[in-house]
Amino acid sequence: MSEHKRENFSSKLGIIVATAGSALGLGNIYRFPCEAGANGGGAFLIVYLCLALLIGTPLMISEFVIGRRSRSNPVGAFRRLAGKKNAWPVVGYMGVLCAFLILAFYTTVAGWTLGYLAKSVLNHFAGQDLPQIQQQFVDFTNHQWWPIVCQLVFLALTALVVARGVKDGIEKWSKVLMPLLLVIMFVLCVKSLTLSGAGEGLRFFFNPDFSKINGRVLISALGQSFFSLSIGMGALITYGSYIGKNDNMASSALGVVLADTLVAVLAGIVIFPAAFTFGIQPEAGASLAFTTLPMVFQQMSGGYVFCLMFFLLLVIATLTSTISLLEVIVAAFTEELQLSRPKSAWIGAAATAVIGVLATLSFRTGSPLHIGSSTVFDLLDHVTALYIMPIGGLLIVIFVGWRMKKADVMDELTNNGKLRAGIRNAIRLIIRYLAPVAIAVIFISQLIGK
Ligand code: PHE
């Protein structure tokens, strides 16, 4: 056992920063507005907030508990904690598979952020009207090779950082510009709120029409909260395995959930007022953020600089998320297959590239790369967020709530008795009862509702 050789995050700030780096990304700025727009705005928001806080936080804590207790990758973690002869390591394999699948379509969009960074350097949005900006998105995503080149560059950047290791790579990168992203989101909010469609946009986003809450809204919000918080697939088991023994996991998890939710809500406050002002459908889907935001920058004084800064920060926020996805694969390869870290990183990235390029190609207008009625891209998104992550999350809370010994879980939650047990007993009860029941009910209700 090479326990003494495993790296740890260096401080409490280390876990928060690294986990926030994983959580903050395209999930907040691209996927959240897209899902909220397609699922009734305010109705989605309210369900999302409840689920992120009530289910997301305890699930994140559960993953930290499994990770720190086992000091292992997700596959090894379940093997160590559950004893050898049972099926629990399957949850770990599912997580590694899920990391592959997410990374494949995530890097499609990550590639777009690089492409849009280049566009903002070249000032491509200046003086363009809405149809022209919409056409730019279509042209870019349909281009013969640009989206693929951008995707592969992004994957290579991710592999480069991950190959260097947790502390040097992940923590340093995450620490750098994350707070700046928050600042720029605030600035964008202020601008969006002065636009003529602000009232209508805010009403759409904040005024819940409860009659719109149905099975689809519930599962979409659940999937979005898991996706955005990086939970249900082992990324945070992996990061949990690098947490030091004196870190307060419950308060760190709460901090990350609040920060992640704040950035998603800010993204909504930027995007919906702007969408209503310029006449962009909130249900526009993948193009929503990539057409709305350039329109906002264009209306701002100093728009060139803000646009540039925004896409640069988005690239970095996205990179800290792809790093955490590849880290799941690399931790499993190094510990289960005894491969070296650099080899694992490059093999993982190369394998991802194969499916990833298919996802990118499937996005082209008229592409034959469909399975049933959805593109490979949509399929990867749906299978991971609506199926694998909810099932993974359910099994993780059941494992911590019912399979692990109460004393072991409480040891982890209280740092061997150093932290107060009161509220942590309540957290364990949520993990044991509320979280599994809620996830199961939502998951089953959408299956029946179909
Ligand atoms: N949470 C990341 C985001 O919102 C995506 C992600 C999902 C990262 C799962 C790691 C694991 O962009």
Side-chain angles (χ1 to χ4, degrees):
M1 217 156 291
S2 57
E3 217 149 283
H4 56 288
K5 276 201 274 164
R6 289 190 112 248
E7 296 175 275
N8 277 347
F9 291 135
S10 54
S11 59
K12 168 161 171 164
L13 194 65
I15 353 166
I16 296 189
V17 162
T19 309
S22 171
L24 294 178
L26 295 172
N28 308 66
I29 287 160
Y30 155 83
R31 199 176 187 282
F32 176 80
C34 195
E35 291 290 306
N39 288 293
F44 181 88
L45 177 65
I46 194 128
V47 177
Y48 180 85
L49 293 176
C50 295
L51 292 176
L53 280 172
L54 277 175
I55 314 297
T57 318
L59 175 51
M60 186 179 283
I61 295 171
S62 302
E63 292 202 26
F64 285 163
V65 165
I66 296 177
R68 189 169 70 176
R69 189 84 194 164
S70 64
R71 292 256 171 253
S72 184
N73 72 86
V75 175
F78 284 100
R79 186 174 302 127
R80 275 193 197 180
L81 298 182
K84 269 212 167 84
K85 292 223 162 28
N86 58 59
W88 281 104
V90 170
V91 184
Y93 286 113
M94 237 169 73
V96 178
L97 174 72
C98 190
F100 261 123
L101 301 179
I102 294 180
L103 200 53
F105 79 89
Y106 199 83
T107 48
T108 298
V109 187
W112 301 347
T113 63
L114 268 189
Y116 268 62
L117 177 59
K119 277 177 178 295
S120 50
V121 174
L122 300 171
N123 210 2
H124 275 187
F125 309 120
Q128 301 261 297
D129 58 12
L130 180 65
Q132 287 170 316
I133 293 225
Q134 284 170 326
Q135 193 58 40
Q136 282 203 41
F137 180 76
V138 174
D139 289 345
F140 180 76
T141 50
N142 275 283
H143 191 276
Q144 286 283 344
W145 39 267
W146 267 122
I148 295 174
V149 171
C150 289
Q151 177 179 34
L152 296 180
V153 168
F154 210 100
L155 259 173
L157 277 176
T158 309
L160 267 177
V161 180
V162 174
R164 293 180 56 197
V166 177
K167 243 196 184 151
D168 278 358
I170 296 164
E171 214 182 314
K172 213 189 276 167
W173 272 99
S174 306
K175 227 177 251 175
V176 194
L177 294 165
M178 215 49 54
L180 251 184
L181 181 67
L182 249 168
V183 173
I184 204 161
M185 292 302 290
F186 271 114
V187 174
L188 287 178
C189 276
V190 172
K191 176 69 200 175
S192 245
L193 291 176
T194 62
L195 295 172
S196 61
E200 219 183 328
L202 291 181
R203 247 187 320 277
F204 174 78
F205 188 44
F206 284 113
N207 225 354
D209 173 356
F210 289 101
S211 68
K212 285 204 175 132
I213 299 179
N214 54 26
R216 201 182 100 106
V217 171
L218 289 176
I219 188 72
S220 302
L222 186 77
Q224 173 59 25
S225 68
F226 284 18
F227 188 90
S228 188
L229 297 171
S230 310
I231 49 184
M233 42 71 69
L236 299 188
I237 294 181
T238 311
Y239 274 18
S241 73
Y242 308 131
I243 298 179
K245 64 180 189 317
N246 293 322
D247 290 326
N248 184 338
M249 298 194 291
S251 70
S252 302
L254 186 63
V256 172
V257 171
L258 293 178
D260 188 77
T261 308
L262 175 66
V263 174
V265 172
L266 289 180
I269 299 179
V270 177
I271 286 185
F272 291 115
F276 278 91
T277 305
F278 303 122
I280 299 168
Q281 293 299 319
E283 303 91 4
S287 65
L288 181 64
F290 287 89
T291 47
T292 311
L293 290 167
M295 288 297 291
V296 177
F297 293 123
Q298 215 201 53
Q299 311 266 320
M300 288 169 83
S301 50
Y304 177 80
V305 175
F306 278 114
C307 183
L308 197 75
M309 270 171 61
F310 174 81
F311 279 109
L312 184 65
L313 292 168
L314 186 59
V315 165
I316 293 169
T318 305
L319 189 60
T320 54
S321 301
T322 53
I323 288 169
S324 72
L325 285 160
L326 188 58
E327 179 65 18
V328 176
I329 300 166
V330 167
F333 280 8
T334 51
E335 291 170 15
E336 300 299 308
L337 306 176
Q338 321 298 334
L339 294 176
S340 73
R341 181 166 262 278
K343 219 184 230 164
S344 307
W346 290 106
I347 293 177
T352 307
V354 177
I355 325 175
V357 167
L358 291 180
T360 303
L361 288 176
S362 79
F363 208 85
R364 286 187 188 165
T365 323
S367 158
L369 289 166
H370 278 67
I371 297 177
S373 59
S374 33
T375 59
V376 173
F377 178 93
D378 284 337
L379 195 75
L380 289 168
D381 178 309
H382 292 166
V383 165
T384 50
L386 303 185
Y387 292 91
I388 305 183
M389 295 171 111
I391 295 175
L394 177 62
L395 294 171
I396 288 167
V397 284
I398 291 178
F399 186 80
V400 173
W402 297 89
R403 171 83 197 200
M404 283 180 72
K405 285 201 206 81
K406 177 176 179 189
D408 292 351
V409 174
M410 289 312 290
D411 267 359
E412 284 302 327
L413 289 177
T414 61
N415 293 354
N416 295 318
K418 283 193 222 87
L419 301 171
R420 262 183 295 139
I423 182 139
R424 293 175 172 82
N425 275 315
I427 293 174
R428 185 172 164 272
L429 290 181
I430 298 181
I431 292 173
R432 223 165 125 82
Y433 298 100
L434 181 70
V437 170
I439 300 172
V441 167
I442 294 177
F443 187 72
I444 293 169
S445 69
Q446 63 115 18
L447 290 182
I448 298 172
K450 271 195 175 158

